[in-house]
Amino acid sequence: MPTLPDETALLPDLDLTAFGLSSLGIVQLLMQLEHAYGVELADEILDFRLFTNLGKLWAALSGCMATGSAPTPGQA
């Protein structure tokens, strides 16, 4: 999985695919995030676009952590 350069600011509009995040990388990242935060994102919201924007990804994870389940597609 690619890594971000040290000087990269983690801003909500950061596009991870611009740094080489591939479909395999998305699966790996998803598994790591779910394990690290003890949540499981619902299949209904899993879409590659979720991983192209840090703000959307964090919103989905935050929703899972707050409610114990993933937000509905319109919320992510």
Side-chain angles (χ1 to χ4, degrees):
M1 184 163 56
T3 58
L4 297 174
D6 290 337
E7 66 277 359
T8 304
L10 296 178
L11 301 173
D13 62 346
L14 180 67
D15 181 355
L16 297 174
T17 59
F19 290 94
L21 185 64
S22 65
S23 56
L24 179 58
I26 286 172
V27 172
Q28 292 172 331
L29 177 59
L30 174 64
M31 291 172 49
Q32 290 175 355
L33 290 171
E34 287 181 336
H35 178 75
Y37 291 100
V39 297
E40 185 175 332
L41 292 173
D43 290 342
E44 298 84 43
I45 68 165
L46 293 179
D47 184 295
F48 78 93
R49 292 172 289 200
L50 181 66
F51 294 86
T52 62
N53 181 293
L54 274 184
K56 290 179 183 179
L57 183 55
W58 183 247
L61 284 170
S62 295
C64 286
M65 292 185 296
T67 64
S69 63
T72 58
Q75 294 174 320

